[in-house]
Amino acid sequence: MEKRLIQNQVLNSKLITLLISTLISLVGCSEPPVDQPYAYSEVCLTSGYFTQGSDEHYTEELPKQQVFVEGFCIDSHEVTIGQFADFVKETGYQTLAETGPSRSDYPSAPDSFFQPGSAIYVFPTAFESGYWTFNQQASWQNPRGDFSSVPEQSKHPVTHIALKDAQAYAKWLGRRLPSEKEWEYAAKFNQQDSVNNDDTPKANIWHGIFPHNNTLEDGYLATAPVMSYAASSAGLYDMIGNVWEWTADPYNKNGSNHYTIKGGSHLCAKNACARYRPSARQPQEIGLGTSHVGFRTVRDIGSED
């Protein structure tokens, strides 16, 4: 499309045509970066009714009820490290994992509470089971906390993101976080809520017995690059597995320091968690980033049209 636009602009100028033709030929000879982040994309869903919740699994998914959702547009995949890097480059933003919590938010907490860092999951070895630990070096730029990297790292979902970090990114784009209802509506769009006991979701989850062994049947130990698995019928990727995703709603109606996350992650297994279903929900401390929580953004239909 860029070439066509350029060509349309130079139809009446032979000199400019020659110059631009030369430029295009040079660009065509170069290869794109191997670790180039995905371009921004979204899926717009029409208004409608759907069944929110479930009465077949965990009690926190009750009540099962018909609800109406106004149409909205949602990111087709989780926000990537590369996309978040663009935000940081332009704004200079520092995440909670990089600065540590604010004393104004936690006035009675001890000094040790305010150190920077984030929670990472240490995967099992032949000698010990997996476990959670707080790592002072962990952040969105250093997901494992050991300064290691993986192929196509910029295409992996960004993690170690506290609620306010996700909200800041969304605001920068003129967007917002999805409500729990919107997130579940998108995830259930022409989809079933659960998988059969004999089936395995085609997503990045824990294969094997958590937390002792992961058979890596899906090809990934931790996060996978977004869009590694087939999209839903709505055109959305990783609505189950890979990383949990922030929503804009408190976990309890009374309000708290815990907000609802949805979708499950690469740490969800059949024998533990098993929350890789659209109806599943879990609380997450708003002031803590982790290695298995990310997010995606939404906008109201018409807000950018």
Side-chain angles (χ1 to χ4, degrees):
M1 180 176 291
E2 182 180 354
K3 290 183 179 180
R4 291 198 297 269
L5 290 172
I6 292 173
Q7 291 167 353
N8 288 336
Q9 292 171 353
V10 300
L11 286 176
N12 298 324
S13 174
K14 292 182 180 181
L15 179 58
I16 298 178
T17 300
L18 288 173
L19 291 173
I20 292 181
S21 296
T22 302
L23 178 60
I24 291 174
S25 66
L26 290 173
V27 173
C29 291
S30 62
E31 294 294 330
V34 174
D35 200 20
Q36 182 178 357
Y38 288 114
Y40 172 78
S41 63
E42 66 178 9
V43 171
C44 293
L45 303 175
T46 56
S47 304
Y49 287 91
F50 84 108
T51 301
Q52 183 178 14
S54 172
D55 56 10
E56 300 177 359
H57 300 95
Y58 296 109
T59 56
E60 69 264 20
E61 298 169 26
L62 294 169
K64 180 179 179 181
Q65 58 187 342
Q66 284 284 307
V67 297
F68 179 79
V69 178
E70 294 284 354
F72 62 97
C73 299
I74 183 170
D75 293 339
S76 63
H77 58 72
E78 294 148 338
V79 175
T80 66
I81 292 175
Q83 289 173 321
F84 198 81
D86 290 339
F87 161 60
V88 171
K89 182 179 180 180
E90 181 171 317
T91 64
Y93 184 86
Q94 288 187 297
T95 62
L96 199 63
E98 295 169 294
T99 64
S102 169
R103 290 186 179 275
S104 62
D105 293 334
Y106 302 92
S108 60
D111 290 343
S112 59
F113 179 81
F114 298 100
Q115 62 187 358
S118 187
I120 65 169
Y121 188 78
V122 179
F123 290 96
T125 67
F127 306 101
E128 63 179 351
S129 299
Y131 59 93
W132 282 100
T133 187
F134 187 84
N135 186 305
Q136 292 185 7
Q137 304 299 324
S139 72
W140 70 272
Q141 300 182 82
N142 185 23
R144 298 306 311 153
D146 58 4
F147 301 100
S148 63
S149 62
V150 296
E152 299 187 305
Q153 181 155 302
S154 68
K155 297 179 182 179
H156 282 245
V158 67
T159 54
H160 301 293
I161 298 296
L163 177 65
K164 76 170 190 176
D165 302 328
Q167 291 171 330
Y169 175 90
K171 184 177 180 180
W172 174 67
L173 286 177
R175 299 168 71 84
R176 56 180 175 83
L177 295 181
S179 67
E180 181 177 358
K181 181 171 66 173
E182 288 173 328
W183 193 101
E184 191 169 331
Y185 179 67
K188 286 183 175 179
F189 205 86
N190 295 330
Q191 298 285 115
Q192 294 183 347
D193 182 53
S194 61
V195 294
N196 296 326
N197 291 332
D198 296 330
D199 295 337
T200 300
K202 294 180 179 179
N204 184 18
I205 62 170
W206 185 287
H207 296 269
I209 305 301
F210 183 90
H212 307 296
N213 73 295
N214 188 336
T215 63
L216 303 181
E217 291 179 25
D218 55 22
Y220 295 96
L221 178 63
T223 59
V226 299
M227 303 174 70
S228 292
Y229 304 89
S232 70
S233 59
L236 300 172
Y237 295 87
D238 296 320
M239 292 299 283
I240 57 172
N242 215 11
V243 294
W244 286 95
E245 299 179 19
W246 283 109
T247 71
D249 293 337
Y251 185 71
N252 296 315
K253 292 182 179 180
N254 295 332
S256 69
N257 287 330
H258 292 79
Y259 271 51
T260 304
I261 54 176
K262 300 279 284 183
S265 78
H266 57 275
L267 299 181
C268 285
K270 286 186 177 181
N271 73 302
C273 176
R275 286 181 169 87
Y276 37 68
R277 296 171 292 101
S279 291
R281 58 198 302 267
Q282 185 164 293
Q284 177 66 23
E285 162 64 48
I286 63 174
L288 178 66
T290 73
S291 60
H292 74 328
V293 175
F295 70 104
R296 71 182 75 206
T297 69
V298 300
R299 68 175 175 91
D300 299 326
I301 289 180
S303 61
E304 295 180 4
D305 297 338

